[in-house]
Amino acid sequence: MDANQPIGVFDSGLGGISVLREITALLPGEDYIYYGDSANAPYGVRPTEEIRQLTTVVFEKLIAQGVKAIVIACNTASSAAGEFLRGKYPQMPIVAIEPAVKPAVLSKKGGTVLVLATAATLREHKFRHLLEIYKGQAEIIDFACPEIVEAVEHGDIRSAGLRKSLEERFALVKGKGVNRIVLGCTHYPFVRKMIQEIAGSDVMIFDGAPGTARQLVRQLTERNLLRGDSRKGSIVWQNSSVDPALLALSKRLFSLRE
């Protein structure tokens, strides 16, 4: 690996752009290839073996372009294929996101932690293991919200329809004492403001993207792969879908600041 090579970041679609924003804030001088597998989105409804096959295809595409590290900016792919991919590509620095259950549980005593994620993330061993570790320290409720993924993939992140759908979902946990929410899918930070408004200003929201960005910095530092100059880096946008609107939407989501 060479420090001047780009960093690959990928997601099942556009959700991983929320992670890319955190990474570029810490490492603005690096070059990036963002790959969204929108043609096969959503991953959250697919079986584990299929997710592993899809992510292997994406890894091969990124490796062929000479990346020095790969960030799995997708909780579903991380849960279903993270360890599989590390075993398949042992020489490649791989950073995989995971739901921020630990900081949410440890942030305060009492109340309930609501983990929002895809059905695939919630069923995988990686997430169930997190629950096993922290279940004695807090009440944890896992909750699938598939409509958010579809909304983000279509750029529909502020609609009345989405708000109504989320209000109906959150009504199901009313009275459960929820005072912390974990955004366990990288699409969800794009509707963080709406979630906060529905949940209430006293509810704390946690996102795994900042920790993922810090872990990438650690891995690159340990391997002497950080760029040492002060140049401004670049982003190459790639997607498995041929929809021409996705490029503009990707850039809009990247620049979005709520």
Side-chain angles (χ1 to χ4, degrees), residues 14-72:
L14 305 184
I17 295 171
S18 66
V19 182
L20 181 64
R21 293 189 307 187
E22 296 289 341
I23 294 172
T24 56
L26 288 184
L27 298 172
E30 299 284 349
D31 293 327
Y32 300 91
I33 300 174
Y34 180 86
Y35 192 95
D37 193 14
S38 294
N40 295 300
Y43 280 11
V45 298
R46 296 182 181 276
T48 299
E49 185 55 38
E50 188 174 3
I51 295 170
R52 289 177 176 177
Q53 292 172 359
L54 291 170
T55 53
T56 297
V57 171
V58 175
F59 259 60
E60 292 293 335
K61 290 179 183 294
L62 291 172
I63 290 171
Q65 296 178 77
V67 297
K68 64 182 178 183
I70 298 178
V71 178
I72 308 175

Side-chain angles (χ1 to χ4, degrees), residues 29 227-232:
R227 292 189 66 110
D229 53 42
S230 59
R231 65 188 285 278
K232 180 175 174 55

Side-chain angles (χ1 to χ4, degrees), residues 9 11 13-24 34 73-75 97 152 183 185-191 207-210 213 237 250 253-254 256-257:
V9 180
D11 177 55
L14 305 184
I17 295 171
S18 66
V19 182
L20 181 64
R21 293 189 307 187
E22 296 289 341
I23 294 172
T24 56
Y34 180 86
C74 173
N75 282 278
I97 194 170
V152 172
L183 303 180
C185 172
T186 56
H187 287 76
Y188 297 177
F190 292 113
V191 295
D207 173 14
W237 300 96
S250 297
L253 291 172
F254 180 76
L256 180 67
R257 296 293 184 271

Side-chain angles (χ1 to χ4, degrees), residues 105-111 137 179-180:
V105 169
L106 299 182
S107 64
K108 63 168 63 178
K109 294 183 178 180
Q137 301 180 52
N179 58 0
R180 286 155 286 174

Side-chain angles (χ1 to χ4, degrees), residues 101 103-115 137-141 170 173-182 192 195-196 198-206:
V101 174
V105 169
L106 299 182
S107 64
K108 63 168 63 178
K109 294 183 178 180
T112 300
V113 178
L114 182 67
V115 183
Q137 301 180 52
E139 180 72 22
I140 303 174
I141 300 175
F170 276 75
V173 294
K174 187 176 182 180
K176 299 289 187 180
V178 174
N179 58 0
R180 286 155 286 174
I181 293 176
V182 175
R192 179 174 183 146
I195 290 172
Q196 187 79 74
I198 295 171
S201 59
D202 57 334
V203 175
M204 300 172 66
I205 296 181
F206 295 82

